[in-house]
Each structure stands twice: as C-alpha cells, then as structure tokens.
Amino acid sequence: MDIPVVTKFYNGWSHTDPILEAPMRGNHLYHCDIFDLVCLWIDGMELCKHGAVCESVEPTLVAFDQSHPKLQSICPKVLVELARICNPF
C-alpha cells in the first residue's frame, strides 16, 4: 500500500489538547491543520451536493478563518490550566 502519511507534533500538548484545552483557550491550530489536510485531499475532486463525487461541478474551497467569533476563547486561561491539573487522563 502506497499511502502518504503526515506526522506533526504539537510541542507541549497532551492527547487532550487538540479537542479540549486548546479550543477552550481559542487555539484552533489543530483544527486548522486538519482543515488544510482535507483541502489537500479534495483538491481536484469535483464535489456535488451532499459530498458525492461528480464530473460537472468545480469545488469551492475557502480558507480556515481563525478570526471567526465562534473560535474565541470560551473561558479564562487559568481555568483551563487548573482543569489540566485535575484531568484524570
């Protein structure tokens, strides 16, 4: 199997940072990286409604907007750090 693989390490992150601590602090680096990889994966594919592949539609890709209001920190950093200490994982 000739499958390309990408590995990236996030310095100082544990296994829960990408989905818990970082997003709570407003850090969406991981989500941006996943978005970019998906864009690479579908680049050149022509997508129809509901994600079906077809021959006649050009895909429209947009950039990941890290300034979107929904991506802001949802709690003070100190609370995230306290939760990290209490995290049983």
Side-chain angles (χ1 to χ4, degrees):
M1 299 178 92
D2 186 23
I3 301 171
V5 176
V6 175
T7 302
K8 182 173 182 179
F9 296 98
Y10 298 87
N11 191 23
W13 283 23
S14 74
H15 67 289
T16 58
D17 277 274
I19 58 171
L20 291 174
E21 291 92 347
M24 290 183 79
R25 290 188 312 244
N27 180 344
H28 292 276
L29 176 62
Y30 176 75
H31 300 114
C32 185
D33 289 344
I34 295 296
F35 180 85
D36 289 344
L37 289 171
V38 170
C39 287
L40 285 173
W41 177 61
I42 64 171
D43 186 33
M45 289 178 108
E46 297 190 16
L47 303 177
C48 290
K49 192 174 184 178
H50 306 298
V53 177
C54 70
E55 302 298 325
S56 62
V57 178
E58 185 67 26
T60 302
L61 301 177
V62 296
F64 189 89
D65 182 7
Q66 292 192 39
S67 66
H68 192 282
K70 297 283 185 181
L71 300 179
Q72 302 293 322
S73 177
I74 61 172
C75 67
K77 183 178 178 178
V78 67
L79 291 180
V80 175
E81 294 306 319
L82 286 171
R84 181 187 301 275
I85 294 168
C86 298
N87 185 352
F89 304 108

